[in-house]
Amino acid sequence: MDSDWGELHRLQLPPVEGNTLQSGTVSTVAFDTHQELLWAGTECGRITSFYGQELTKYTSTRAHPPSEGPIVQLLFHEKGVISLASHSVHLCSRRGLTQWHIAEISMTNLVCMSFVGKDSSELLVAGCQSTMYKIDVERGQVMQEIPTIHKYIIMKHCHYICAATDQGWVNILDPDTLRIIKSWQAHTLSINDMDAQNNYLVTCGWSSRPHGPSMLDMLAKVFDLRKLTQLTPIAFPGGAAFVQMHPKMNTTSIIASQSGQVQIVDLMNPNTTNIHQARLSTFMLSLTLAPSGDAWALTDQENAIHLWGSRKKMQFSNYRNPTEFADEPNPLPSIALDSQVPLSSIGMPHYREKLLSAWPDDHIYEVGRMPAKIDPAVMKSMLPAPIGHCATNPRKKLRNEAEVTRLLPSNEITMVAPKFLSQKALNPENHDSEDQKISDTVETFVNMALAASTKADVPVMYRNVEIKYSKFGVDDFDFQYYNKTRYSGLETHITNSYLNPLLQLFKFTPMIRNLALHHTASNCTSEGCLLCEMGFLFDMLEKADGLSCQATNFLKAFGVIPEAARLGMLEENMPSPSSSLEGKIQTANRFLLEHVAFDSKRVFANDTKIEQSALHGQLRTFSSVLTSTLQGSPQIRAWCDRCRIYRQLTTQTTVPYIPPVLVLNAGLEKSPEAKQLWARPGWCPEEIGIMATEEGVTCYEGGQLSHRQSASREPIPVHELVGMVVDVNSGEDQKPHLVSLINVAISDKNPIRQNQWHLFNDFLVRETPTADALHLEPSWKMPVILIYQTKSSRHAVDDSWKSCLDTSCLYYENTIHAKYVAAAHALIQNQSNYLPVSSASQSPHSSVVPLNPSSEAPSRGSPVAIDSEFVALRAEEIEISATGEREVIRPTRLGLARVSVLRGAGMLQAVPFIDDHIAIREPIVDYLTKYSGLKPGDLDASRSTHALVTLKVAYKKIWLLLNLGVVFVGHGLPSDFRTMNIHVPKTQVMDTVDLFYIRTRARKLSLRFLAFYLLHEDIQQNTHDSVEDARSALRLWYKYQEFCDANILHLILNEIYAEGRKFNFKPPSELPGGIAFAMARGARGLEGGTAVLGVEAEGSRSGRETPPIQVAATGMSGPTTPVGRRATGKESDYFESPLR
């Protein structure tokens, strides 16, 4: 605190109502946390605000009826000011407009309130009554009523909720569960004031004397909220009545007495004090400190507010928002009314008929003013309020500000963004027709001729596409709007997603696709193998069958390679902002081909660059340019052994053979002559013949190729164009980007005579005519990479890798810890893979028993239970516009942290054979402990007590199970599989979210509620455990089959929804005691032959009984027969959905 602190202003408040001073007495004051306002609440239910250090009156409004007594507390939110009286809670804007008013019958004596979290919109209200209330500030509704035996008079939030009782005790409450963590008696009688800040809690209160009245305690009690222990109290001889913690100085406290003595003291060094004395003629009633720490305000019994601070530095809030004031009307011109001023200067209009005021009285009727027409946007959002109705103000402009409605004509064609899936679900009857109109318009744009198109009219399908994010994240975006084909696109919200067009081109090249998948099916477990990641991605794209995918794992493996960062191929390590995408993707192309050749241990593709110099002179055909490039003679400066000096040496390039795949990097020549070569129709041939002899390389195309084929005795290898990566420059308003044009017929399993070209613009995939695909435009469409493949390899799609999968990693633990690696090697050498893994480092629910390859090999239709946990690797990136609208730029990125897989049948049913914790080397933003059960250090190889594996090993196990045809049983699996970056066909998923769901209801049931209601188990009490969740989902699946066999599924579902709605679909641990007991009595599950809703289970007649699954290695019971088939009305590529 500065030495020039003193009283800056004294505001004497007059009576607000009536003729007595008491009707306007100030009962509480508080500084606004968002604006430069000081608020005061009175005993008659009125709140008043004052602006700035001069305390100029800003607004005043009645928040509560006078019958409710004084306003006891004020809190501040972005939407306005929250006031509390004995019988109601009120929220109004800072300009005085009521937002909501809550008054329950059970609200009899409310005294205090506090936000549940620092930036939370949930409010906890309590008082000297037996019920607390949790209120949603955004909606203005009571979310929950919490019974309590304590009478609370003060509440403060600092990590915990600190609540003071009327008996002098302080209860420390958990913000999530509102359970009492710690209780501490601060004073013997009651607490007069309390504040919590910066992990410290300080109280002032009353104590009793043996022979006399009660008095203020001369000690201010201090409590450490980190260790939950009491510290040394602060002595205050004048009697500590009020206390405030400084918001910026961690250990500084301000203590005041009723006589006006203010002492600033350091909690860690009580001997260092700073004393001020307020000039008061009566007792002090309250003390409050500004959020910035630069001012405080106190009130006295004379109904005056004293503002203290420094004139040099006066600010109420840390991040103050501008305060809106009323517009001042323009002054009217003054006109002197005397005999010298003509009446015509007043502005009376000339008239010839009688004025209305001259009409007879019998012709004049009082009809009132016509009501103003209400804006339809206001009527659409109209909601009932305690007084009348309220609606959101659709006007986003200031008062008297008009919008320019005259729009300039624009010829630019843009694609209309689709509605979010959540919006379509609200109006299912309207969105189909709207989307059909938009889709028809887009198809018209696609079929537009590209000839003579310029940069100003680039077709809309070639332009940038962006993902829009709602509050539900990327899963709410309608990707199917952009893709009506059976070929999947790749999403763009991932770092280094500029590689998407190149990856699509590799995928539709059969030779590269076959190599990647065959290598992935081998026993390769190298973490940095890009060929394996490429195979995982290609398999996911094929299984997705048109659904949008993301190359998360491949791009993550690509991004951690040090050489990729050194070559400037990463988006975060670009050499300069002006570096072109075409140069970067060509470098990445060469880099990937080198890694593919290294990983496959054989050179499979030849990387060639068309020299820029070859585009000049007499070499005007594509074949001549390619010939000159393949057998070029570049000059380099090198050491000459004959001359013993450095000289310009000419090197001769020789090509011993022509590989089946040619990957060509197009020259980046920027001259108009070079660009016109590409734009010439037919200059880039669809077929080209290449021969490599001792004399050199010769290339043929067009008629020359046909003539050589008919004249030559030896067949000439012919390469056909698979596709190309194209650089699209849409203009100044959009950044350049890359797309791929691919002939998908080459990689089709069924022989197709005609070519089928498709445009892959990230997640936008559309079919395009061959002429449009091969038409290149110098102004906006230029090729960067081309791939040619031998024509004999057309349709050479080899799926034999599915029958030769190396499944060895499923039968032993491949951890990165030395002791687990040694154990794994011992298992292989002894050929004894059936050995339980020690559960010392696993969860309490986990006892991993590896699969027995002789009797437990996974097969098609075998059920397994799965669940996974994730951690946050990157927080979401948001952008706040000038109007305050919040837009998500990139969502939160999650990473796989733990995956557990359990047996679904057999003697070891529900016993896990996979429980892998993944070693993560990236910085972890949030462990999400409440939902994942993971803590800091659990995924660190140097500190973790768990058996850690690499992401590659954990992912490959799930991928092997997928391709072996097992059925995954779990809860909420689509979201887990998407985050895991794997696509599982619906026929291989048994999701209990959908099994126990009525489509006409808007709510899906949680695993915890289903487990409580049907299995009578209370899971997920403190944190989530993947083994426990997978086991519960497995039991629920067997319950579902049992209900189907007994033909009572619809009755069970109706009962679950009917009973769950009464208790908000929560288990007993989340409900008060009485409600939990009632719900426990109402929960009736089907065990063996019990009856549900009066219907006999018929366990003996159906031949099925669901036994309770025990967590043990032996002695288990359950179905041992293979999963049967049930007609689902839908064909499957793999096997039918197993319901029996």
Side-chain angles (χ1 to χ4, degrees):
M1 302 267 179
D2 298 335
S3 58
D4 60 343
W5 266 58
E7 183 175 320
L8 301 180
H9 193 80
R10 182 178 184 273
L11 179 64
Q12 181 66 50
L13 296 180
V16 178
E17 300 178 11
N19 299 322
T20 62
L21 183 65
Q22 186 177 2
S23 61
T25 302
V26 176
S27 58
T28 182
V29 292
F31 286 96
D32 201 317
T33 57
H34 294 76
Q35 297 185 12
E36 292 293 293
L37 297 175
L38 174 65
W39 292 82
T42 65
E43 293 186 353
C44 62
R46 181 176 290 274
I47 57 175
T48 306
S49 61
F50 304 94
Y51 177 77
Q53 62 178 344
E54 298 299 330
L55 297 184
T56 305
K57 189 174 182 180
Y58 179 65
T59 54
S60 181
T61 183
R62 182 182 296 281
H64 304 271
S67 59
E68 293 188 6
I71 295 177
V72 294
Q73 190 176 352
L74 297 172
L75 287 180
F76 304 97
H77 190 263
E78 294 179 355
K79 299 182 64 176
V81 184
I82 307 172
S83 59
L84 178 68
S86 60
H87 295 77
S88 60
V89 187
H90 184 84
L91 172 65
C92 65
S93 66
R94 289 171 174 81
R95 293 188 297 172
L97 300 178
T98 298
Q99 304 298 316
W100 48 259
H101 185 89
I102 300 176
E104 301 286 344
I105 299 177
S106 57
M107 294 180 178
T108 58
N109 192 6
L110 302 180
V111 181
C112 56
M113 59 180 173
S114 172
F115 285 109
V116 176
K118 182 179 180 181
D119 298 322
S120 175
S121 293
E122 295 182 359
L123 188 69
L124 181 64
V125 182
C128 296
Q129 58 181 40
S130 60
T131 305
M132 297 189 299
Y133 306 90
K134 183 181 286 188
I135 298 176
D136 188 343
V137 179
E138 297 288 345
R139 300 181 179 180
Q141 298 177 354
V142 177
M143 301 171 54
Q144 185 180 1
E145 295 185 6
I146 304 99
T148 179
I149 60 175
H150 301 283
K151 297 180 179 180
Y152 295 114
I153 57 176
I154 304 176
M155 274 191 178
K156 299 290 182 180
H157 178 270
C158 179
H159 303 298
Y160 303 101
I161 298 179
C162 307
T165 68
D166 60 345
Q167 301 296 327
W169 286 78
V170 177
N171 291 340
I172 308 299
L173 306 180
D174 188 339
D176 297 328
T177 61
L178 299 181
R179 295 178 180 176
I180 298 177
I181 301 176
K182 181 78 173 180
S183 294
W184 165 52
Q185 186 172 15
H187 304 276
T188 57
L189 287 182
S190 64
I191 297 176
N192 191 65
D193 197 6
M194 179 180 70
D195 195 15
Q197 195 81 253
N198 303 321
N199 298 316
Y200 293 101
L201 172 70
V202 184
T203 65
C204 298
W206 298 83
S207 299
S208 60
R209 291 189 293 179
H211 305 287
S214 59
M215 62 176 293
L216 286 170
D217 207 333
M218 295 185 182
L219 296 175
K221 304 300 181 64
V222 185
F223 192 73
D224 191 342
L225 296 178
R226 291 172 299 183
K227 301 179 180 179
L228 297 179
T229 58
Q230 185 175 355
L231 302 180
T232 304
I234 305 299
F236 193 84
F242 310 101
V243 63
Q244 290 286 302
M245 292 293 297
H246 199 282
K248 295 182 179 179
M249 302 179 183
N250 294 342
T251 60
T252 301
S253 177
I254 302 172
I255 306 174
S257 65
Q258 287 183 328
S259 61
Q261 180 182 350
V262 181
Q263 179 176 327
I264 304 170
V265 60
D266 190 349
L267 300 180
M268 299 294 101
N269 188 11
N271 297 327
T272 303
T273 60
N274 190 0
I275 300 176
H276 297 270
Q277 179 64 47
R279 296 190 299 271
L280 303 176
S281 58
T282 58
F283 286 114
M284 184 192 299
L285 295 181
S286 64
L287 173 69
T288 182
L289 187 63
S292 64
D294 296 336
W296 73 55
L298 52 90
T299 61
D300 57 16
Q301 290 182 335
E302 293 183 348
N303 205 32
I305 300 177
H306 303 259
L307 180 64
W308 279 63
S310 174
R311 292 190 181 276
K312 298 179 182 179
K313 184 180 180 182
M314 172 58 67
Q315 181 176 330
F316 293 168
S317 60
N318 289 318
Y319 309 100
R320 53 184 177 183
N321 298 327
T323 304
E324 185 178 359
F325 292 92
D327 298 334
E328 296 184 2
N330 297 326
L332 299 176
S334 60
I335 301 176
L337 296 179
D338 53 27
S339 59
Q340 303 298 326
V341 178
L343 295 178
S344 60
S345 63
I346 301 177
M348 293 291 291
H350 296 281
Y351 56 91
R352 294 181 180 179
E353 62 278 356
K354 287 186 178 182
L355 297 178
L356 292 177
S357 57
W359 285 14
D361 295 340
D362 57 339
H363 288 178
I364 300 176
Y365 304 94
E366 294 289 342
V367 296
R369 182 181 178 182
M370 292 294 294
K373 186 177 180 181
I374 302 177
D375 192 345
V378 175
M379 296 296 296
K380 186 177 180 180
S381 61
M382 190 75 71
L383 296 174
I387 302 176
H389 291 72
C390 63
T392 304
N393 186 2
R395 298 180 59 184
K396 304 298 182 181
K397 299 175 178 58
L398 299 177
R399 188 181 304 170
N400 299 328
E401 182 180 358
E403 180 180 2
V404 178
T405 57
R406 180 178 298 175
L407 299 178
L408 297 177
S410 175
N411 296 327
E412 182 180 359
I413 300 175
T414 58
M415 178 178 291
V416 181
K419 292 183 177 180
F420 291 113
L421 298 178
S422 57
Q423 295 176 341
K424 293 183 179 181
L426 297 177
N427 298 314
E429 67 279 358
N430 296 330
H431 78 269
D432 292 336
S433 59
E434 295 178 1
D435 285 356
Q436 184 62 36
K437 294 179 181 178
I438 297 175
S439 179
D440 294 342
T441 306
V442 171
E443 291 295 339
T444 303
F445 297 153
V446 174
N447 297 327
M448 291 174 58
L450 302 183
S453 60
T454 62
K455 185 181 297 187
D457 55 350
V458 174
V460 64
M461 308 310 297
Y462 282 85
R463 301 196 175 188
N464 286 312
V465 289
E466 295 182 359
I467 301 176
K468 300 295 183 181
Y469 305 100
S470 69
K471 62 181 180 180
F472 300 106
V474 69
D475 295 337
D476 199 23
F477 188 76
D478 187 7
F479 289 102
Q480 294 184 359
Y481 170 83
Y482 294 90
N483 186 4
K484 307 295 183 183
T485 69
R486 60 188 182 93
Y487 305 105
S488 299
L490 292 174
E491 300 172 14
T492 59
H493 64 282
I494 311 167
T495 306
N496 302 319
S497 58
Y498 75 93
L499 291 174
N500 287 348
L502 182 59
L503 294 175
Q504 291 279 19
L505 189 55
F506 284 169
K507 186 261 178 185
F508 284 97
T509 305
M511 303 296 289
I512 300 179
R513 178 257 184 200
N514 296 340
L515 173 66
L517 288 174
H518 277 276
H519 179 79
T520 306
S522 66
N523 60 352
C524 176
T525 57
S526 175
E527 187 176 5
C529 180
L530 293 181
L531 190 57
C532 279
E533 298 295 344
M534 201 176 292
F536 293 144
L537 177 62
F538 293 167
D539 184 51
M540 177 174 61
L541 289 172
E542 292 181 358
K543 286 184 170 61
D545 196 22
L547 298 179
S548 179
C549 298
Q550 49 188 352
T552 307
N553 290 351
F554 177 87
L555 296 179
K556 181 186 297 184
F558 174 78
V560 299
I561 299 177
E563 187 180 356
R566 290 194 299 268
L567 294 176
M569 293 184 292
L570 306 184
E571 291 183 350
E572 61 270 18
N573 296 327
M574 291 179 60
S576 63
S578 60
S579 59
S580 62
L581 281 177
E582 50 190 13
K584 187 160 59 173
I585 199 170
Q586 286 190 352
T587 305
N589 179 34
R590 189 179 299 108
F591 176 81
L592 291 179
L593 291 176
E594 292 176 355
H595 270 263
V596 167
F598 176 78
D599 293 337
S600 62
K601 300 297 186 292
R602 61 191 179 96
V603 178
F604 186 77
N606 185 24
D607 172 32
T608 308
K609 180 178 179 179
I610 301 177
E611 296 292 337
Q612 299 177 7
S613 59
L615 298 177
H616 301 283
Q618 301 299 322
L619 303 176
R620 292 296 181 181
T621 63
F622 184 90
S623 58
S624 59
V625 173
L626 182 58
T627 301
S628 175
T629 302
L630 292 178
Q631 58 183 9
S633 301
Q635 291 185 350
I636 61 173
R637 185 173 178 82
W639 177 262
C640 180
D641 293 335
R642 180 182 301 175
C643 303
R644 310 300 296 175
I645 60 174
Y646 283 97
R647 300 187 61 179
Q648 289 292 122
L649 300 181
T650 301
T651 61
Q652 182 67 37
T653 303
T654 58
V655 180
Y657 71 98
I658 302 299
V661 177
L662 287 175
V663 182
L664 308 176
N665 279 355
L668 303 181
E669 178 64 45
K670 300 297 183 181
S671 63
E673 295 81 3
K675 291 184 178 181
Q676 289 301 327
L677 285 178
W678 290 107
R680 185 184 303 171
W683 192 81
C684 181
E686 292 188 66
E687 295 183 358
I688 186 169
I690 306 176
M691 292 186 63
T693 61
E694 296 180 356
E695 291 77 11
V697 178
T698 308
C699 301
Y700 307 96
E701 63 174 295
Q704 187 181 14
L705 175 60
S706 302
H707 175 71
R708 293 292 300 180
Q709 284 179 328
S710 59
S712 177
R713 298 180 179 179
E714 298 181 359
I716 300 177
V718 179
H719 288 68
E720 60 180 341
L721 180 62
V722 178
M724 65 182 76
V725 176
V726 177
D727 178 40
V728 177
N729 189 359
S730 303
E732 297 180 356
D733 57 334
Q734 293 188 354
K735 59 183 181 180
H737 64 288
L738 301 170
V739 302
S740 55
L741 293 161
I742 304 173
N743 185 5
V744 299
I746 296 177
S747 60
D748 200 307
K749 298 180 182 178
N750 300 322
I752 301 177
R753 294 182 180 179
Q754 67 276 14
N755 294 330
Q756 291 184 354
W757 284 85
H758 279 66
L759 166 67
F760 290 83
N761 186 2
D762 291 324
F763 53 84
L764 186 151
V765 182
R766 293 296 171 110
E767 186 175 359
T768 182
T770 303
D772 293 345
L774 298 180
H775 175 79
L776 302 174
E777 183 62 40
S779 60
W780 61 272
K781 181 183 177 184
M782 291 298 295
V784 180
I785 299 173
L786 299 93
I787 291 186
Y788 284 85
Q789 182 185 257
T790 54
K791 198 171 183 179
S792 59
S793 301
R794 188 183 181 99
H795 312 302
V797 178
D798 184 9
D799 286 337
S800 60
W801 59 271
K802 296 181 180 180
S803 59
C804 56
L805 291 171
D806 189 309
T807 61
S808 58
C809 66
L810 292 176
Y811 304 110
Y812 65 87
E813 294 292 326
N814 193 353
T815 65
I816 63 177
H817 285 210
K819 58 179 180 180
Y820 292 101
V821 173
H825 285 299
L827 291 176
I828 299 174
Q829 294 174 1
N830 298 332
Q831 298 181 356
S832 177
N833 294 329
Y834 190 63
L835 182 65
V837 179
S838 174
S839 60
S841 62
Q842 303 293 333
S843 68
H845 305 276
S846 172
S847 180
V848 179
V849 178
L851 293 174
N852 190 336
S854 60
S855 60
E856 293 183 307
S859 60
R860 187 174 302 277
S862 301
V864 296
I866 186 173
D867 191 71
S868 54
E869 310 293 353
F870 304 93
V871 294
L873 301 180
R874 183 188 63 198
E876 68 176 9
E877 300 177 11
I878 64 173
E879 183 180 71
I880 300 178
S881 63
T883 59
E885 296 182 356
R886 182 177 180 272
E887 182 180 0
V888 178
I889 304 301
R890 278 190 175 181
T892 302
R893 182 164 68 91
L894 301 178
L896 181 64
R898 182 186 179 187
V899 59
S900 302
V901 185
L902 284 64
R903 296 167 174 83
M907 296 300 296
L908 297 179
Q909 177 181 317
V911 175
F913 62 92
I914 297 176
D915 187 19
D916 292 339
H917 289 71
I918 288 80
I920 298 180
R921 297 182 176 87
E922 301 179 66
I924 298 177
V925 177
D926 190 355
Y927 279 86
L928 306 174
T929 303
K930 181 178 179 181
Y931 306 101
S932 66
L934 300 172
K935 299 177 181 179
D938 286 351
L939 307 179
D940 189 350
S942 61
R943 297 188 298 163
S944 177
T945 59
H946 300 284
L948 298 182
V949 300
T950 61
L951 177 62
K952 167 77 173 294
V953 172
Y955 185 91
K956 188 164 188 177
K957 292 180 182 180
I958 306 302
W959 183 78
L960 288 173
L961 292 175
L962 166 66
N963 286 280
L964 289 173
V966 304
V967 178
F968 294 97
V969 181
H971 192 85
L973 291 183
S975 176
D976 288 358
F977 288 147
R978 177 180 174 82
T979 309
M980 201 182 300
N981 197 24
I982 192 171
H983 182 83
V984 182
K986 293 183 178 180
T987 53
Q988 286 183 251
V989 177
M990 288 289 108
D991 196 339
T992 53
V993 170
D994 298 326
L995 298 182
F996 295 94
Y997 172 59
I998 301 179
R999 297 191 178 276
T1000 56
R1001 312 291 178 92
R1003 186 186 187 101
K1004 293 188 176 182
L1005 305 179
S1006 66
L1007 177 64
R1008 187 176 185 185
F1009 175 74
L1010 289 173
F1012 161 72
Y1013 194 87
L1014 296 176
L1015 307 179
H1016 308 293
E1017 293 182 356
D1018 192 5
I1019 64 174
Q1020 302 175 356
Q1021 296 186 18
N1022 297 322
T1023 60
H1024 289 226
D1025 185 273
S1026 55
V1027 175
E1028 181 186 39
D1029 294 350
R1031 183 175 290 118
S1032 300
L1034 180 63
R1035 294 190 61 192
L1036 289 172
W1037 180 52
Y1038 280 118
K1039 279 288 184 184
Y1040 172 82
Q1041 298 178 73
E1042 187 176 341
F1043 296 152
C1044 292
D1045 290 343
N1047 199 20
I1048 57 173
L1049 178 62
H1050 63 289
L1051 299 178
I1052 295 295
L1053 292 179
N1054 290 328
E1055 181 186 5
I1056 294 175
Y1057 275 90
E1059 294 294 329
R1061 191 181 299 108
K1062 298 179 183 177
F1063 309 103
N1064 201 20
F1065 298 92
K1066 292 184 178 180
S1069 58
E1070 297 186 19
L1071 299 173
I1075 300 179
F1077 176 75
M1079 188 173 181
R1081 292 185 58 188
R1084 299 190 299 273
L1086 184 61
E1087 293 289 347
T1090 58
V1092 179
L1093 288 176
V1095 181
E1096 187 179 356
E1098 299 180 351
S1100 58
R1101 185 155 56 97
S1102 64
R1104 180 191 302 278
E1105 292 185 359
T1106 303
I1109 300 177
Q1110 305 294 332
V1111 185
T1114 58
M1116 301 213 173
S1117 60
T1120 58
T1121 58
V1123 178
R1125 298 185 177 183
R1126 180 185 293 270
T1128 59
K1130 189 174 182 180
E1131 293 296 327
S1132 169
D1133 294 338
Y1134 302 97
F1135 58 92
E1136 295 182 352
S1137 176
L1139 295 180
R1140 294 183 180 272

